[in-house]
């Protein structure tokens, strides 16, 4: 059970640590690694003590379960402390990583792959036809896609406690 918790913690932190492994470590990363090392030591200690209880032939299964539960309650504060530290530091690491992302480059790269496909659909497919029913359907599909994108942006902003600034309304058409 403890090995599973340690493995789960390591797997949860792996993407973040792998993403920043090529760069100099920040204070948040150093603190996270120190907290992880201390937590791992405590969990190894717990595992050894739990195995000793499991190996005690003088105890029945109920007594073993009660002793392991009591032992777990002794180590629960360490789990809570590590979870808190990992959450705080992982959030800071993610903020730093997001600050370094060039959004324009990501969008440009994504659009570069989509543009030829869109050109083909616009000249060869139903997109090129001016059927009113199809235009309504395409409008609904576009509205749905825009809504999904806005929801995703809002989730990212909420996850990192960033202020969400609504886009400016379009300017009214100028009168001639």
């Amino acid at each position: 059970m403890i090995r599973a918790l340690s493995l789960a913690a390591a797997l949860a932190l792996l993407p973040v640590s792998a993403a920043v492994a090529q760069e100099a470590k920040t204070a948040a990363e150093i603190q996270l690694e120190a907290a992880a090392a201390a937590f791992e030591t405590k969990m190894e200690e717990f595992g050894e003590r739990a195995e000793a209880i499991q190996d005690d032939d003088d105890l029945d299964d109920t007594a073993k379960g009660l002793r392991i539960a009591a032992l777990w309650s002794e180590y629960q504060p360490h789990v809570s402390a590590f979870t808190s530290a990992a959450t705080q530091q992982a959030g800071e690491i993610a903020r730093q990583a997001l600050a370094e992302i060039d959004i324009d480059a990501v969008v440009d790269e994504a659009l570069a792959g989509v543009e030829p496909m869109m050109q083909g659909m616009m000249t060869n497919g139903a997109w090129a036809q001016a059927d009113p029913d199809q235009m309504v359907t395409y409008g609904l599909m576009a509205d749905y896609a825009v809504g999904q994108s806005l929801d995703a942006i809002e989730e990212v902003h909420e996850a990192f406690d960033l202020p969400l600034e609504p886009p400016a309304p379009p300017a009214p058409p100028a009168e001639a």
Side-chain angles (χ1 to χ4, degrees):
M1 175 170 96
I2 298 310
R3 289 182 185 153
L5 286 175
S6 296
L7 179 60
L11 290 175
L13 299 174
L14 183 60
V16 173
S17 62
V20 294
Q22 298 168 352
E23 301 173 11
K25 293 186 179 184
T26 64
E29 294 167 333
I30 293 168
Q31 290 174 357
L32 181 59
E33 287 179 0
F39 180 70
E40 183 178 6
T41 301
K42 284 294 181 184
M43 290 299 98
E44 286 174 0
E45 181 182 303
F46 171 81
E48 290 170 4
R49 291 177 66 188
E51 285 179 22
I53 292 171
Q54 285 291 346
D55 292 341
D56 189 351
D57 293 333
D58 294 335
L59 299 173
D60 62 8
D61 287 343
T62 303
K64 288 178 183 180
L66 290 173
R67 287 193 181 179
I68 290 177
L71 180 63
W72 180 248
S73 67
E74 180 183 331
Y75 283 87
Q76 183 61 38
H78 299 291
V79 174
S80 298
F82 174 71
T83 302
S84 175
T87 301
Q88 181 183 10
Q89 300 308 328
E92 182 59 31
I93 292 168
R95 276 191 196 89
Q96 292 170 357
L98 286 174
E100 296 175 9
I101 293 175
D102 183 2
I103 299 296
D104 292 333
V106 172
V107 170
D108 290 344
E109 184 178 332
L111 289 177
V114 172
E115 188 175 353
M117 187 171 46
M118 290 303 295
Q119 287 295 330
M121 285 194 298
M122 289 163 53
T123 57
N124 298 326
W127 290 90
Q129 300 176 7
D131 180 16
D133 291 334
Q134 285 179 332
M135 293 300 136
V136 169
T137 301
Y138 297 144
L140 291 172
M141 290 169 41
D143 286 343
Y144 178 78
V146 167
Q148 292 292 312
S149 299
L150 291 174
D151 289 347
I153 290 170
E154 187 174 314
E155 287 176 17
V156 168
H157 283 268
E158 288 174 1
F160 295 103
D161 296 327
L162 299 173
L164 183 61
E165 298 174 16
E175 293 184 26

